[in-house]
Amino acid sequence: RFRREARSVQKLAHPNIVEVQDQGVTEDGTSYIVMEYLDGASLAAIIAQGHIPLARGLGMMIQLARGIARAHDLDVVHRDLKPENVFVTHREDGSDLVKVLDFGIARSLHDPRLTEQGELFGTPQYMAPERIANADSGPPTDLYALGVIFYELVVGELPFDATDVTAFFVKHLKDPPPDPRKKNPAVPDALAELVLQLMAKDPKARPVDDHRVLNDLIDIARAAHAPIPPDPN
């Protein structure tokens, strides 16, 4: 499974996804992956440092949406999106370059040998209700996790607070997503509405796909006069 999932990431090949340069097995039977070297910090570390200006946060969100859109276009679902699995390095001009990391529990919709339906892996703080209820792990589960990450980016804290895994599960299943404007009134209405839609309990109520999310984010950035990261395409 380790080797198959390494190959699934190799095929993604996108500037906003960490590059896997090689993978294989050593003479003693140890599996390995060789990834590009990145200099920077995790998104979790950046959020922990304090307030992120809206323009910078939108740039990160746009690049994160581009990376996940690429994965979903090739039918790979990440299933463990969280700030610890998002790395921020820099381009030559000093601007942020976002990389999605750790597809270690990713599921390829074309390869039933990869991590199977029915197995509950992931991080409770970012887990979509349908994954908790029936272990369903289609693309909408990544969209839900994006909503939680975007909330953290603009508010600086998780949308749900709990002391244990079960309590997090209950809140994801039953509690309505909190409006980020209540914690940060400076959040644009369109961005707050996108976050709430991404965190909808019903997967069908979320945006149709990551390309829709990306288009909405670009519109929000333009309205906020925020710079739009260069399109890798």
Side-chain angles (χ1 to χ4, degrees), residues 163-200:
T163 57
D164 56 61
V165 171
T166 301
F168 271 117
F169 285 175
V170 170
K171 291 193 174 187
H172 283 302
L173 286 166
K174 297 184 177 181
D175 289 5
D179 191 326
R181 288 168 290 194
K182 292 183 179 179
K183 292 279 188 176
N184 181 4
V187 176
D189 289 343
L191 180 56
E193 290 163 6
L194 177 60
V195 170
L196 294 174
Q197 186 180 9
L198 285 165
M199 292 183 64

Side-chain angles (χ1 to χ4, degrees), residues 16 55 57-66 69 150 190-191 194 210-233:
N16 295 125
L58 283 168
M60 292 176 178
M61 295 178 204
I62 288 170
Q63 294 181 73
L64 183 50
R66 283 173 176 161
F150 291 175
L191 180 56
L194 177 60
D210 294 274
H211 293 286
R212 177 72 266 168
V213 176
L214 176 58
N215 290 337
D216 288 348
L217 287 170
I218 290 174
D219 288 343
I220 293 166
R222 285 174 176 155
H225 304 290
I228 298 171
D231 189 339
N233 298 319

Side-chain angles (χ1 to χ4, degrees), residues 90-168:
H90 298 95
R91 298 184 181 85
E92 290 184 0
D93 63 2
S95 61
D96 291 327
L97 175 58
V98 172
K99 299 272 188 175
V100 181
L101 311 179
D102 195 0
F103 283 76
I105 63 169
R107 176 172 178 266
S108 171
L109 300 181
H110 291 306
D111 189 348
R113 298 170 301 172
L114 295 183
T115 308
E116 299 287 351
Q117 294 280 67
E119 294 181 308
L120 188 59
F121 296 108
T123 304
Q125 291 89 332
Y126 304 87
M127 200 171 289
E130 65 273 19
R131 286 205 61 205
I132 298 166
N134 55 32
D136 183 21
S137 57
T141 65
D142 281 351
L143 294 183
Y144 185 91
L146 281 181
V148 179
I149 294 171
F150 291 175
Y151 183 97
E152 275 190 280
L153 269 168
V154 298
V155 171
E157 62 186 49
L158 286 164
F160 299 122
D161 184 27
T163 57
D164 56 61
V165 171
T166 301
F168 271 117

